[in-house]
Structure formats: C-alpha cells, structure tokens
Amino acid sequence: MVMEMQQVLRLIMQMAKQRQQLGLRTAGGLLVLLWTDTGASTQKINCTVAAAGPWCTGIQIEALQLVLADLKDSMFPCVWPHHEPDPEELSAFTDLYGSLRLLLSFQVKDTSHCSSEWQARIEAFLRTFTVANAGIQIHLKFKIKQQTSQREFRVKFKRKVALADLLLTLDVACSAPPLWCVKKGCWCERGHPAFGGRLPLSIPPQAMDQGLLGDLSVQLVTLLSPCVLPYPNVATELTRIQNTSNIPVTGPSGFFQTLPAALDCQEMGLDRIYCSTFKDLVYSGGTVYTVEKDSWDNPEQESSLPTVQQSLLLFFFLQHSDPFTSQLTDLMATEVLIEHHLEDILNKNRQAVTAALQAELRNTLKVQHHRKKQQEKLHAAAEVILSSSISIVSSSSSMDFRNACLNCMKVHDTRELGASLRESLWRVMSWKFIPRARCFSAKMEVHPENDDPTTAEI
Amino acid sequence: MELHVDEQFSEIEKLRAELLANVDVMADWQRAEEEISHQEILNRIEGIILGVVTSLSKDEAPVLALPNRSSWANVSFDSTIGLQMSSRQSVVTIRSDCPSSAAKFAQILKILSVIYRLVQSNSYATKRDIYYNNTQLFGSQKAVDSIVDDISCMLKVPRRSLHVLATSKGLISGDLCYMEEDGTRIDCHSSSAGKGVPDVNSRLMVKKLWDELHIPIFALVDADPHGIEIMCIYKYGSVAMSFEAHSLTVPSVMWLGLLPSDLQRLRVPEDALIPLTKRDESKLSSLLERPYLTSQPDWQKEMKLMQQSKVKAEIQSLTAIAPDFLTNIYLPNKLRYGGWV
C-alpha cells in the first residue's frame, strides 16, 4: 500500500517539480484520503489523491494517464476500480483550493499493510514533500476500521529560495522564544535560511549498476530557530540540531546516527553532540541531535546571563540531473533509486558531507561566540556603571539627591538601590530590541485570565 | 654701538600701549572668571547620575550626550576671545546598551565617581594617577585624557576645577620669577624652552602672563604650516578646547618669526629650505580658510607667500647664515624695529 501510494504521489510531485523549474506558482492543496470498505469478505483499502490550486494547473491528464497505466502494470497487487470518495470530503477541499485539477483513485486488496506503521510512513513521506514544497498544504485523512484520523501539513511562513535550477518553497516558521525571554513581547516569527555551498556527490557502484547515473549533489541549507536578530545583545546557545531532507528516509539511518562521532566538537567549542533516541523518530523524516557545550569557565556569570536556546534545522537538498533522463517514468525510477541507495550514497561521500556539515555548524557557532563576547563586554561595563553610580549616591550628602534616586527605583536604601539598578540595567542591556526589516515582528499578548498566548501582527 | 635699552624696546612699548588700550574694551567676564563652587560641581555630577537612575527606572538604557569637541561646526570665532564653542552644538551620544560604546560609558561614570570623591575631599589627582588606578578599564592614558576633557565640557566646568591635574609638557624659561598659590617660588632662569602643540597648562601659563603682567606675547615658530598652527592655538584656541576659550586664548599674540618673508629678505641658503609636502599644502590651505584669519591680512599675506614659494624652514635654518644669527642679529632687530605681524 505504501509503495503504491508513494508511486502515485511521486508522480504528482514530479509534475509539480517541473512547474517549479519553470518558476510557476506552487501554492495549492493536496488531499490524500485512505479508507476501508466494510462488509466485504476481504477488506480493501481505497485511496484517493486529489490536487487543486495553481501548483497543478496545466498538468496534462492524458500524459498522466499513460504513466499511470505503466504504473498499474508494474505494481502488485493492485486493482484500479473506480471507487469514488465521499463527495463531502472533496467538496470541503475544493471550497478551500478551488476546482480539482487532479483526481486519482485506486484500491488495494492486501490488508496486511493496514497498520499504524504504514500510516506513519505515509505521513513521513508527505512531510518530506513539504520540506521543499511548503506552498502546498496537504490534508491526510484515514478512515480505517471505523477509526478516523487526520493530519494537515500546513506551513505558517514560507520563503521561496533558488537552489541551482530549482525553485523551492521552504517552511521558515520559527518557534517563539520562551515567554520569560521576550520582555518587550516582540519576536521574529520567520527564520532566515542560510545557504551552504553545493557539494557534488559520487554515486556508489551498486547504485550505478541499478541505473543511477548522471550528476548528484547536495546543498545544505540551515535555519536557526528562534530568530533573535532583533535582540543583538542576547546570548544564544545551540542545544538541538535536526536534519531533514527532500529525500524520504525509510528507516533508521546509520549515516546520520553515527554522524556526531565524525564531527570535531572541540574545534567548535562544544562538549559533545549525540543522536537523540530514534524510536520516536523512525518515520519523522529526520534525525535529532542534542548539543552540549564545554564546561563553563565562570559558572556564576554564565548562570546570570540571559541565554536563548536555539535549534538548528539542517536541510539536505539532494539534486540529481541526467540529460538522458527526461521521461516521467524514468525520473520517478531515479527517485526510487536515490531513496533506496541514500545510505550508500552518504557513506561513499562521508568525508565530504561531514566536512560540509562541520563548516555550517562552525558558521552558526561563530555567531553564537560573537554574541557571547559582546555580552561579556556589556557585563563588564555594567559592573563599572553600577559601582560608580552607587559610589556617588552613597557618598552624597544631598538628601534630595539620594531620595530622588531611591524614589525613582522605589526602594528604601542604597543596598536595595544597587540590586534594583543592577536588575534594570542588565535587563535593558540584554533585551535591547532593534526592529529589522527582514524580521517579521509579532507581538505577544498574554491575557491575565488565560495563560495561553495569542498572537497579533504589528 | 650699543643701543640704549629704551631704544631697544621702544617698538615693544608702543605695542604694549596699544594692546593695553584694547584690553579695557574686552568683556569683563573674560577676566572675572566665574568661580564654580565645589557644591555646584557635585550637584552637576549628581544630576548626571540621577539621569542614569531615572532612565533605568523607566526600563530605558541610560545615554550620555557629550558635546562634539572635534567638529568645526560646533565652534564660532570671536575676535576678543578666539574660537569658542557655539551655544547650539551637536552632541555625540554614548549608549550604555551598545557593546561598542558601553565601555566608554562605564569609563565616563568611573571618572565621574573619581572626580566626585576628589572634589568632595578637596584633594587632587593627576590624569596619570587615574589611569594607573585602573589600566584594564581605561586601556590607555589617552582615553583618560580625552574623557576628562569630555567631562569638563559636559559639566561646563574648567578641568582644573575638577581637581584633576596634568603633567605639562611645556617649559618656561627667562628672566621671570613667580609665586604659586601654595607659596612655592618659581625661578624660570634655569629652565629650558618647551616645544610642540601646546597643552592646556602651557596655554594657561601664557594666558596668565598676559593677564597678570600685560607682557606682549610674541611667537617664534618654524616657518611651516605646523608652526603656524601652533601659534594659532595660542592666539585663537583649538576646536577641542573651545569650551574653555575665554580662559585659554591670548588674542594679543603677535607673529614675530620665522616669517616666510624673512626667508626671502634674509636670503636664507636654499639648502636650508625644505619643499612643502602635499600634507603641508593641504594644512596651509585649511589654515587659510580658518575664520580668524580674515582679521589678519598680514598673516594671510605671509601664508600665501609660503604657498607660492612652496618651501618651508625651521628656526634652525638661520644658523646657515651664521651660528649666532638668531640670538645676536635676528631677534634683537625684530624686537627693535617691530618686525612682527
């Protein structure tokens, strides 16, 4: 079931990719419905794939049918009766995205795939699709054995980026920093992708033997979240790295799991990077790493410095080109080969990929180190400012002056004044806010009666 | 034939009489300098600190506004004073929340706290003392020097009233004895001459000599743009210290030599002359545009002569004529026959 589903989706995605290459609009919706027929002696799983919106405008249905016919012959076991989905489901979809450009339905008789595992694999496959096609919103609905579940893959903020000859729409939504961090209530909701160099990859012999030829390359794109660019003085700490790819990972990746061991943590000023537990991430489409910093020289100072923890999203964009491959079926076959041999490809190019990743991490951490140095400068200056001010207030014989200072800060004596000034100075220094044109600014409103934050645009 | 002393200094006496006649028309406040009390200085410093506290009480980053002491746009020329700071002046903002300026903000507050203690206890310290008490904070003596002047300008208080002293680089020499405030008697007979761009103490000394003794002040400088600029600082003041012009400038300074016209008149040997560099020419052009030169046509004439001849000379070049030419011929004749402009 999963294989058939993937083939159909792969076909549609290839057609969408051709539209991307032409620079055409890539917004719209994709509906994937899976439901079981009851009452029959043998349970059947029906699948409907529907597409609407600009991203599939111009798809030649006749060409599609030819390819589908080829698929039908090659897939086993598969039956292609004309089972219509619930019209209400389709109507809700067309209400959102306009009239259907594509509607495919097929049925599978083998029920052994009817499990939560393949549901998760289909989800992971679709999630991978959204990595580079964030403009397309995906609605996935399961109605299996009387149980209904649905997922929407919807992106809040997207950005078009050009990689070589490919135009991608990336999900750049940023997580909001913790509420206690954002005193002024403004933060950047969109991340800012940073692009690494394009790295050519060697194709392993076993993949070549199976027909994977041409040029293969990978480009790294990184996204730090949350964005703290409007807060130039706050220190950051990278605590999590997650990698994702435009090629679905169908199982635990030995390459990605052992990647941390190949990285030079000392060079980056880190204690260690290790892979998070994979059991929850098997079909998440990515690997998550935890980052631990070197033991601090000055734990007391470190604990008092406000620090925002950040995650780094690493996009591995694999791109393939072969001037002798242009037919849709060949393109789909190539994708299958790349997916199948992804582990071999990465292992063959381990040194180069690791070096590229090290460089990207180094660049990310360079910014982090710079912020830390700036914060140390501010901290040193703050101590002198406070001690000088308190020295003058304490030694002044003017009651008016002393009282004016105490009243300003609403304290009773110079000891409290010192503490209050320190807290205030450190707050204004650390959370200095400079609005930036490329950062989308959202204001966080916290209602006293409700702790759930709501957001409103400024 | 030895000239009678009266004849030797007759021109100088005429000049002195002229200058004294003009002194009466000068504004009284120039000499009757307002003495700022210790308490007033403390009040002004407290005002700055209260500003810092008030900003922090509003969750705003404290900011200091320093008058811009390096901009010509902030000064104006008064013929009785020289260059003085304009009443409407641009300021330089020092923020406490910016890593590139936070250190300077801290340095300023540190020195303010030092000054506060000095004034309160009526004790004194040198700029050098301040620097060596916290070399890590200040980084260099120059930083301390600059900030002390900034504070003086910001508080509108003369530097000496801040109880911060400087080691002067100017020296005084000649037939002069004077008594300092604490009763110390200074005999200048055995000192040697000073040189270079004058520091505040040197300028104060010259100013004092004029104010107290009404001695005509003559400048003997190298016949080059740098020497002319040194002389202009004595006479008209500097942009950096324009806020204290009335206590530092000596508008009565006369240019005795070495004049560019002297080089031609005396036929100083060519090998003692030095071609002007591009920098010299640029400096000369800049000097000619200074506001105070419009009232000095003779100085302009000399400087234009230097521009045309494209040569400069040091005072020592006169030794090319004769080893003792400067002391035995040049200076006595200049003073005797009024050879100043």
Side-chain angles (χ1 to χ4, degrees):
Chain A
M1 177 65 200
V2 177
M3 193 179 69
E4 291 86 346
M5 168 67 63
Q6 284 181 332
Q7 284 294 80
V8 169
L9 290 174
R10 197 172 281 122
L11 170 62
I12 297 171
M13 289 169 196
Q14 272 299 332
M15 303 197 84
K17 201 185 283 185
Q18 287 175 352
R19 292 186 58 74
Q20 283 173 11
Q21 285 169 338
L22 294 172
L24 296 170
R25 286 181 62 192
T26 54
L30 178 70
L31 176 67
V32 179
L33 292 172
L34 295 119
W35 74 99
T36 50
D37 281 343
T38 53
S41 57
T42 311
Q43 193 157 344
K44 299 170 188 174
I45 301 171
N46 300 286
C47 178
T48 290
V49 177
W55 73 284
C56 47
T57 303
I59 286 181
Q60 299 293 326
I61 301 297
E62 297 74 23
L64 193 65
Q65 292 294 352
L66 284 173
V67 176
L68 283 173
D70 286 342
L71 274 182
K72 178 183 164 185
D73 291 339
S74 64
M75 281 199 245
F76 173 83
C78 187
V79 178
W80 297 81
H82 214 62
H83 270 235
E84 294 293 336
D86 183 355
E88 278 187 20
E89 299 280 6
L90 288 180
S91 128
F93 182 72
T94 54
D95 283 346
L96 288 172
Y97 303 105
S99 53
L100 293 178
R101 301 288 179 182
L102 181 75
L103 181 63
L104 297 172
S105 295
F106 60 94
Q107 190 181 64
V108 176
K109 281 184 184 167
D110 189 348
T111 62
S112 63
H113 294 102
C114 185
S115 67
S116 58
E117 189 188 312
W118 66 254
Q119 286 185 33
R121 285 179 65 180
I122 291 174
E123 276 189 39
F125 188 81
L126 290 173
R127 191 178 297 109
T128 305
F129 177 67
T130 63
V131 166
N133 299 280
I136 300 166
Q137 294 179 13
I138 301 175
H139 301 258
L140 174 65
K141 195 162 185 179
F142 297 99
K143 278 185 189 172
I144 307 292
K145 294 176 185 171
Q146 319 276 315
Q147 286 185 335
T148 304
S149 66
Q150 55 186 28
R151 277 289 311 269
E152 276 183 27
F153 298 90
R154 186 188 294 267
V155 168
K156 192 175 176 189
F157 296 110
K158 35 192 179 282
R159 185 182 150 178
K160 282 196 168 67
V161 296
L163 293 182
D165 57 351
L166 199 62
L167 192 66
L168 305 174
T169 307
L170 295 182
D171 177 2
V172 295
C174 237
S175 60
L179 182 57
W180 65 266
C181 289
V182 188
K183 302 303 180 186
K184 288 193 189 279
C186 295
W187 82 94
C188 174
E189 283 186 312
R190 301 175 200 232
H192 310 282
F195 302 95
R198 196 171 172 190
L199 182 69
L201 299 174
S202 303
I203 301 174
Q206 58 270 43
M208 277 194 202
D209 290 343
Q210 293 196 351
L212 182 60
L213 304 169
D215 296 322
L216 194 58
S217 64
V218 67
Q219 176 144 23
L220 291 176
V221 180
T222 55
L223 187 74
L224 262 180
S225 172
C227 167
V228 289
L229 290 177
Y231 295 94
N233 291 348
V234 79
T236 56
E237 185 189 345
L238 184 64
T239 55
R240 189 172 177 268
I241 302 171
Q242 179 175 354
N243 77 276
T244 187
S245 167
N246 59 331
I247 303 293
V249 176
T250 52
S253 166
F255 175 85
F256 284 116
Q257 281 190 293
T258 58
L259 188 57
L263 295 172
D264 185 349
C265 290
Q266 197 178 8
E267 189 221 17
M268 296 185 285
L270 300 175
D271 191 18
R272 63 179 188 134
I273 299 174
Y274 58 91
C275 197
S276 299
T277 311
F278 200 74
K279 64 176 168 63
D280 297 325
L281 306 169
V282 169
Y283 301 117
S284 70
T287 313
V288 177
Y289 307 97
T290 302
V291 180
E292 284 180 4
K293 238 186 73 164
D294 267 337
S295 49
W296 294 325
D297 297 325
N298 190 345
E300 266 187 36
Q301 185 187 20
E302 290 287 352
S303 65
S304 69
L305 301 177
T307 306
V308 172
Q309 293 186 338
Q310 288 187 304
S311 301
L312 183 72
L313 188 58
L314 268 172
F315 294 97
F316 280 80
F317 281 108
L318 275 96
Q319 297 172 68
H320 176 262
S321 67
D322 185 350
F324 300 104
T325 306
S326 59
Q327 297 295 319
L328 266 178
T329 47
D330 295 334
L331 291 170
M332 288 166 60
T334 302
E335 272 202 22
V336 172
L337 280 174
I338 294 174
E339 280 175 37
H340 184 68
H341 290 282
L342 182 61
E343 195 70 15
D344 297 329
I345 293 166
L346 292 173
N347 281 323
K348 182 156 175 65
N349 296 274
R350 175 175 283 272
Q351 203 171 351
V353 173
T354 306
L357 181 58
Q358 179 98 14
E360 289 307 311
L361 286 177
R362 198 167 42 237
N363 286 340
T364 303
L365 290 166
K366 198 187 294 183
V367 174
Q368 184 173 295
H369 293 149
H370 176 73
R371 276 179 174 260
K372 184 159 175 282
K373 286 273 175 270
Q374 299 291 70
Q375 202 181 55
E376 284 167 5
K377 273 188 200 172
L378 287 171
H379 193 268
E383 289 303 322
V384 176
I385 292 168
L386 289 166
S387 62
S388 304
S389 303
I390 292 297
S391 159
I392 290 171
V393 175
S394 303
S395 55
S396 170
S397 58
S398 165
M399 287 304 294
D400 289 342
F401 166 62
R402 288 165 60 91
N403 287 339
C405 291
L406 295 176
N407 292 339
C408 252
M409 299 303 290
K410 297 184 173 55
V411 295
H412 298 104
D413 54 40
T414 49
R415 192 186 57 84
E416 284 182 25
L417 179 68
S420 180
L421 287 177
R422 176 182 301 278
E423 193 194 320
S424 180
L425 181 60
W426 197 229
R427 190 168 53 243
V428 300
M429 273 183 169
S430 301
W431 295 106
K432 178 178 178 178
F433 175 75
I434 299 180
R436 286 174 183 264
R438 65 178 184 141
C439 285
F440 177 80
S441 185
K443 190 156 188 169
M444 192 173 226
E445 293 169 8
V446 178
H447 301 283
E449 64 275 8
N450 181 2
D451 283 338
D452 297 330
T454 57
T455 61
E457 284 188 35
I458 294 178
Chain B
M1 183 173 68
E2 216 172 278
L3 286 171
H4 196 270
V5 170
D6 287 341
E7 287 176 355
Q8 200 171 13
F9 293 102
S10 60
E11 289 296 325
I12 294 172
E13 284 304 320
K14 272 190 216 168
L15 173 65
R16 187 161 185 258
E18 263 176 46
L19 292 172
L20 280 174
N22 290 329
V23 162
D24 292 336
V25 306
M26 289 181 191
D28 285 337
W29 62 264
Q30 282 179 257
R31 263 183 273 116
E33 186 180 39
E34 185 191 337
E35 283 292 324
I36 299 176
S37 68
H38 283 186
Q39 190 53 53
E40 180 55 30
I41 295 172
L42 296 178
N43 289 347
R44 293 184 190 184
I45 294 176
E46 286 168 0
I48 304 237
I49 299 303
L50 184 57
V52 169
V53 172
T54 305
S55 293
L56 288 175
S57 70
K58 296 183 207 166
D59 258 357
E60 290 169 2
V63 166
L64 291 172
L66 301 180
N68 190 344
R69 296 188 301 115
S70 60
S71 168
W72 277 94
N74 270 3
V75 295
S76 60
F77 173 64
D78 182 309
S79 60
T80 56
I81 301 172
L83 289 177
Q84 57 178 353
M85 195 152 243
S86 306
S87 53
R88 294 184 67 181
Q89 65 214 204
S90 63
V91 295
V92 173
T93 303
I94 310 292
R95 294 191 66 91
S96 59
D97 61 349
C98 183
S100 58
S101 63
K104 182 158 185 183
F105 192 103
Q107 289 166 357
I108 292 171
L109 251 61
K110 178 68 180 176
I111 294 180
L112 273 174
S113 70
V114 168
I115 290 170
Y116 192 88
R117 273 203 319 276
L118 290 172
V119 172
Q120 222 179 23
S121 60
N122 199 23
S123 53
Y124 291 79
T126 64
K127 288 191 283 188
R128 193 175 171 84
D129 293 335
I130 296 174
Y131 168 61
Y132 277 103
N133 270 340
N134 205 329
T135 55
Q136 204 172 3
L137 171 65
F138 297 116
S140 68
Q141 180 67 60
K142 196 175 168 187
V144 173
D145 298 350
S146 173
I147 288 174
V148 170
D149 287 338
D150 283 332
I151 289 174
S152 174
C153 189
M154 181 170 60
L155 298 179
K156 295 182 175 44
V157 170
R159 208 254 330 269
R160 57 195 171 281
S161 299
L162 299 177
H163 288 223
V164 178
L165 309 172
T167 307
S168 178
K169 67 172 184 175
L171 295 175
I172 189 162
S173 161
D175 186 12
L176 174 72
C177 291
Y178 67 91
M179 191 95 70
E180 289 192 333
E181 268 186 14
D182 61 358
T184 307
R185 188 171 179 277
I186 307 293
D187 183 350
C188 302
H189 284 85
S190 54
S191 305
S192 54
K195 59 183 178 185
V197 176
D199 62 349
V200 169
N201 281 355
S202 302
R203 294 174 63 190
L204 278 170
M205 187 62 178
V206 172
K207 172 79 177 171
K208 193 80 171 175
L209 285 173
W210 167 250
D211 285 347
E212 296 299 322
L213 305 175
H214 300 307
I215 297 176
I217 310 291
F218 296 106
L220 178 66
V221 295
D222 292 333
D224 62 21
H226 184 56
I228 297 170
E229 183 159 49
I230 289 171
M231 181 176 57
C232 287
I233 291 175
Y234 276 106
K235 187 176 174 78
Y236 297 117
S238 64
V239 173
M241 295 302 294
S242 59
F243 61 93
E244 237 188 301
H246 61 277
S247 65
L248 292 176
T249 60
V250 187
S252 59
V253 164
M254 310 299 286
W255 188 2
L256 186 68
L258 183 58
L259 302 175
S261 57
D262 288 340
L263 301 179
Q264 289 182 350
R265 183 172 57 80
L266 299 172
R267 293 183 195 168
V268 172
E270 276 189 22
D271 55 4
L273 303 177
I274 307 164
L276 290 179
T277 63
K278 284 264 183 272
R279 202 165 164 180
D280 288 330
E281 286 178 358
S282 172
K283 169 77 83 185
L284 200 50
S285 303
S286 161
L287 283 168
L288 278 164
E289 285 170 18
R290 299 268 171 97
Y292 40 68
L293 280 185
T294 51
S295 57
Q296 293 287 336
D298 291 335
W299 286 30
Q300 282 181 324
K301 197 170 150 189
E302 292 290 336
M303 287 160 72
K304 283 179 179 162
L305 185 59
M306 185 186 291
Q307 247 182 352
Q308 283 159 15
S309 67
K310 294 191 190 305
V311 291
K312 59 184 178 183
E314 294 177 350
I315 296 170
Q316 285 87 329
S317 65
L318 295 176
T319 57
I321 300 173
D324 60 349
F325 187 81
L326 173 68
T327 49
N328 288 351
I329 309 291
Y330 182 80
L331 281 176
N333 280 337
K334 277 273 182 172
L335 293 170
R336 169 79 171 88
Y337 296 109
W340 54 78
V341 292

